[in-house]
Amino acid sequence: MAVAAVAHYTLSDTPYALWVRGELADEINLPNDGSRVEVIGGEIVVSPAPAFRHNRVAKAIDRAMYAAETADPGFRWESVQTNELNLVPVRDGCVPDLIIMDKQVAERVDDEDRRHVLPHEVKVVVEITSPSNAGYDRPPRLVQAPGTKWSAYAQSGIPFYLLVDRDPRVPGVTLYGEPDVQAGTYEPLHTWKFGEIIRLPEPLGFEIDTERWKPWTE
């Protein structure tokens, strides 16, 4: 089983500064094999490229948004896969599986030809767990544990976090919201089992069919 690596290196600058400048992957000699390099809780985390089932979940969310847009030309949301998200408030750098943004905001980022998206530009972050990274996507198990993406997204004030957990022991989907920036916590708003229809509340207001979603194979 491939496992995300938390690495310690002698670097020319902080991991976050190198990540922001796009130099971190070269600094740690990361091979060009689809791996992602992120800075989570100040630590360098390298994860292997996601598997086929993982990618199909992301595609299903994209399709659901396209269907919502087709049904309602006024649908205001757009999804972007695996784009770098600069979590300036906590000095972390992540590559979420999906981010959901207002279309006008997405167009502005596009016009500015920026590589990074900023927390205030994001409405929802979506993470889909894999065996290599599930611990980084979930809430920290201990109060004093190092931060995870869950806590970093909350500290950065991102309004919603949709966690698709493919762990065969606890498969399901949780929508978190009401971020507490000081505590770095979210409140769980809704949960769904695989096979159920996810009905996201307003202002999102679209549905996702999870009938074909499956946990990973141990």
Side-chain angles (χ1 to χ4, degrees):
M1 179 185 297
V3 178
V6 179
H8 300 270
Y9 298 90
T10 301
L11 303 173
S12 61
D13 205 338
T14 66
Y16 172 73
L18 291 166
W19 185 91
V20 168
R21 297 199 301 266
E23 300 171 0
L24 183 56
D26 288 339
E27 186 105 357
I28 65 173
N29 298 313
L30 186 69
N32 186 19
D33 60 358
S35 296
R36 300 184 197 178
V37 61
E38 301 174 289
V39 179
I40 305 172
E43 297 283 354
I44 301 170
V45 177
V46 177
S47 302
F52 185 80
R53 281 185 176 175
H54 175 288
N55 292 336
R56 290 204 78 216
V57 171
K59 183 66 175 178
I61 298 172
D62 273 337
R63 285 199 304 267
M65 296 187 67
Y66 178 75
E69 182 178 25
T70 301
D72 176 12
F75 185 71
R76 60 183 284 201
W77 306 110
E78 179 174 324
S79 64
V80 183
Q81 292 193 36
T82 60
N83 197 91
E84 293 185 351
L85 174 56
N86 185 353
L87 300 176
V88 178
V90 294
R91 298 180 67 81
D92 277 358
C94 296
V95 186
D97 291 311
L98 280 169
I99 56 175
I100 296 175
M101 312 168 64
D102 186 283
K103 287 181 181 178
Q104 292 184 345
V105 175
E107 288 173 0
R108 186 181 72 242
V109 174
D110 187 13
D111 289 342
E112 295 172 0
D113 195 21
R114 276 196 276 126
R115 197 175 83 203
H116 297 145
V117 173
L118 300 174
H120 70 273
E121 297 169 324
V122 176
K123 193 68 173 181
V124 189
V125 173
V126 182
E127 295 286 5
I128 305 158
T129 66
S130 297
S132 63
N133 64 12
Y136 295 107
D137 294 336
R138 298 173 182 144
R141 291 186 176 182
L142 303 173
V143 173
Q144 299 300 324
T148 66
K149 290 184 179 182
W150 182 90
S151 53
Y153 295 151
Q155 283 181 284
S156 299
I158 295 173
F160 295 102
Y161 177 35
L162 187 68
L163 176 62
V164 181
D165 200 334
R166 297 175 52 245
D167 188 328
R169 297 169 296 181
V170 289
V173 183
T174 303
L175 177 67
Y176 294 97
E178 302 176 13
D180 185 325
V181 174
Q182 296 300 319
T185 59
Y186 280 110
E187 292 296 325
L189 303 180
H190 301 275
T191 59
W192 299 269
K193 297 178 181 178
F194 283 7
E196 295 180 337
I197 300 292
I198 296 172
R199 293 181 172 88
L200 295 175
E202 295 296 338
L204 302 169
F206 66 96
E207 299 182 353
I208 307 168
D209 186 353
T210 72
E211 180 181 3
R212 292 285 304 170
W213 294 9
K214 300 180 180 68
W216 68 64
T217 303
E218 290 188 303

